[in-house]
Amino acid sequence: GMIVRARLVRRELQEAIAIPFFTIIDHEKGKSVFVIDEESIARERPIQYGSFQRGLVEIRDGLKLGEKLVIVGQRNLVDKQKIEVIGDITPLARQWILEGRDLSKLTVDILQ
């Protein structure tokens, strides 16, 4: 007759890379994202992903820690296209994660 609220941790990943789900592009050839190199060139990267949690997707293969990920406008990019970086939202994303907010709505916040 008791009602409880529990939070279960199925597994904890220490050195995992996780990105917002909305950054993933779905092609007939598979899933990919765009990263930005040192010369501000967009590079398309095929990825393999794992689990989902609160708008984040675990990346199992295709990205390295510290790479810059395109999060707005990626669906209109072409591989090796020169782009202009207008901001780094890493601090905002970290704040959202600490607050337990769903990162799938992050673009709405940054585009306002």
Side-chain angles (χ1 to χ4, degrees), residues 13-49:
L13 304 171
Q14 294 298 321
E15 297 294 321
I17 296 174
I19 64 171
F21 175 72
F22 59 81
T23 61
I24 298 174
I25 301 167
D26 192 9
H27 297 286
E28 61 278 349
K29 58 187 173 187
K31 310 263 189 256
S32 65
V33 295
F34 277 95
V35 295
I36 306 163
D37 70 12
E38 302 81 32
E39 291 88 35
S40 294
I41 305 291
R43 305 287 180 176
E44 187 171 12
R45 289 281 180 75
I47 59 162
Q48 298 293 319
Y49 64 88

Side-chain angles (χ1 to χ4, degrees), residues 47-111:
I47 59 162
Q48 298 293 319
Y49 64 88
S51 59
F52 294 75
Q53 182 178 358
R54 289 193 175 146
L56 290 175
V57 180
E58 170 198 6
I59 301 300
R60 293 187 175 167
D61 189 39
L63 288 178
K64 296 179 212 137
L65 193 61
E67 289 185 302
K68 295 179 182 177
L69 182 68
V70 177
I71 65 160
V72 175
Q74 72 275 19
R75 301 201 189 295
N76 298 321
L77 285 177
V78 178
D79 192 35
K80 300 180 182 96
Q81 181 178 350
K82 178 84 171 165
I83 63 170
E84 178 184 352
V85 177
I86 60 170
D88 181 355
I89 61 105
T90 304
L92 178 61
R94 285 187 178 141
Q95 177 185 341
W96 275 47
I97 292 168
L98 289 173
E99 294 172 1
R101 295 172 70 181
D102 185 345
L103 284 181
S104 65
K105 297 178 180 33
L106 183 63
T107 53
V108 174
D109 198 43
I110 63 173
L111 291 175

